[in-house]
Amino acid sequence: MIRDEQGHVAVVKRLLYLTNKDASDRPKLHHRTTVKGETALMAASKMGHAECVDMLAAAGADPNHVIENIHCHSKLTALHMAAAKVNAAAL
């Protein structure tokens, strides 16, 4: 797991660098969402990648970004996703 997370950390660092360097009007990495509305912070939280969570938060990712969970008719944030998977390190 440590080796796997180190790979994710390197990718997040590189993507943050590239999107922050990009002068276009496209949203930065930490503001982009998937088609379901999930952010990179949510994905890192859900997977328990604490160092990636820290980097994204430091870059300005919104911890209060909310998506609708259609399965249980509730709203979810990155904190909910980390807690649902019992990823204490990402909390």
Side-chain angles (χ1 to χ4, degrees):
M1 179 68 171
I2 291 174
R3 181 176 166 185
D4 184 45
E5 184 170 343
Q6 288 172 345
H8 290 289
V9 168
V11 169
V12 170
K13 280 182 184 177
R14 183 71 178 156
L15 289 173
L16 283 171
Y17 170 77
L18 290 173
T19 60
N20 285 333
K21 184 178 165 182
D22 185 3
S24 74
D25 290 337
R26 292 184 305 180
K28 304 298 183 210
L29 171 69
H30 51 280
H31 295 302
R32 292 182 185 174
T33 60
T34 66
V35 293
K36 294 182 180 181
E38 189 173 293
T39 64
L41 181 63
M42 290 175 160
S45 297
K46 182 170 53 176
M47 300 305 293
H49 298 302
E51 193 172 345
C52 293
V53 168
D54 290 342
M55 286 189 308
L56 290 162
D62 181 7
N64 298 314
H65 178 80
V66 176
I67 61 170
E68 296 284 335
N69 183 342
I70 60 171
H71 300 294
C72 62
H73 305 290
S74 63
K75 297 181 180 195
L76 300 173
T77 65
L79 180 61
H80 293 116
M81 291 180 166
K85 296 289 185 175
V86 191
N87 290 317
L91 298 173

